[in-house]
């Protein structure tokens, strides 16, 4: 979205301004250019569905691989690699149930596919939403708008 404000009169009523600049991995100083480990155009280490890099015997877990930027996602990366390496249990990133958190007050979370992702698969699914009037913390704080 691009917005040009020419005068104070054009500025919409507001109380806060959030500027999100995006994320980028901290892989620049790892010396990957001296290895056979490939990165994408954004600097994320390229991995396959079992988190193997392009270098034999090297896996990439956590924020550096671009497969998720949450602590629980990084831990699940570890679980995938450990299961494949140590237990010979074929686990993949594509089997992961997507979880999403927005750290606001009250917090917002989602698990699984979005409605749009569900529509694209053509699957029959059970979908549920919980009204904020049913969330204890929201009721306690008197912030029950939304679903």
């Amino acid at each position: 979205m691009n917005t040009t404000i020419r005068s104070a009169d054009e500025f919409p009523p507001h109380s806060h301004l959030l500027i999100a600049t995006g994320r980028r991995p901290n892989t620049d100083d790892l010396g990957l250019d001296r290895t056979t480990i490939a990165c994408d155009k954004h600097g994320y280490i390229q991995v396959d569905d079992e988190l193997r890099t392009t270098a034999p015997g090297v896996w990439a877990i956590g924020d550096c691989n671009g497969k998720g930027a949450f602590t629980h996602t990084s831990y699940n990366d570890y679980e995938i690699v450990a299961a494949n390496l140590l237990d010979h249990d074929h686990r993949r990133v594509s089997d992961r149930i997507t979880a999403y958190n927005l750290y606001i007050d009250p917090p917002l979370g989602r698990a699984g596919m979005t409605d749009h992702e569900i529509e694209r698969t053509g699957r029959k699914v059970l979908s549920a939403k919980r009204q904020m009037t049913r969330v204890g913390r929201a009721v306690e704080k008197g912030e029950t708008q939304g679903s």
Side-chain angles (χ1 to χ4, degrees):
M1 180 176 126
N2 294 318
T3 303
T4 303
I5 306 290
R6 291 180 179 80
S7 73
D9 295 334
E10 292 181 11
F11 203 76
H14 65 283
S15 64
H16 294 78
L17 174 64
L18 171 66
I19 299 175
T21 59
R23 300 181 87 128
R24 62 189 273 309
N26 189 15
T27 56
D28 296 346
D29 61 352
L30 295 178
L32 298 177
D33 56 326
R34 296 187 305 269
T35 72
T36 59
I37 297 173
C39 292
D40 68 14
K41 66 181 180 179
H42 302 289
Y44 291 107
I45 296 174
Q46 292 180 355
V47 294
D48 66 11
D49 210 25
E50 294 178 2
L51 300 170
R52 290 182 294 243
T53 68
T54 51
V58 180
W59 290 258
I61 64 174
D63 294 5
C64 68
N65 66 28
K67 301 293 182 187
F70 295 113
T71 303
H72 58 271
T73 308
S74 294
Y75 186 79
N76 184 243
D77 284 357
Y78 151 74
E79 293 175 318
I80 290 168
V81 172
N84 283 296
L85 272 177
L86 305 175
D87 300 332
H88 305 288
D89 180 15
H90 186 66
R91 292 188 56 187
R92 302 178 310 238
V93 173
S94 59
D95 294 332
R96 174 161 45 215
I97 296 173
T98 304
Y100 176 83
N101 300 296
L102 186 57
Y103 297 101
I104 57 175
D105 188 18
L108 172 70
R110 173 177 53 85
M113 294 184 272
T114 65
D115 290 342
H116 180 68
E117 291 168 336
I118 292 167
E119 288 172 11
R120 282 197 335 243
T121 68
R123 296 179 185 167
K124 290 185 177 184
V125 298
L126 175 63
S127 178
K129 291 183 181 182
R130 187 167 184 88
Q131 296 293 321
M132 292 302 287
T133 55
R134 304 285 314 243
V135 176
R137 182 173 174 185
V139 171
E140 176 186 313
K141 295 187 81 175
E143 298 173 354
T144 57
Q145 294 179 340
S147 59

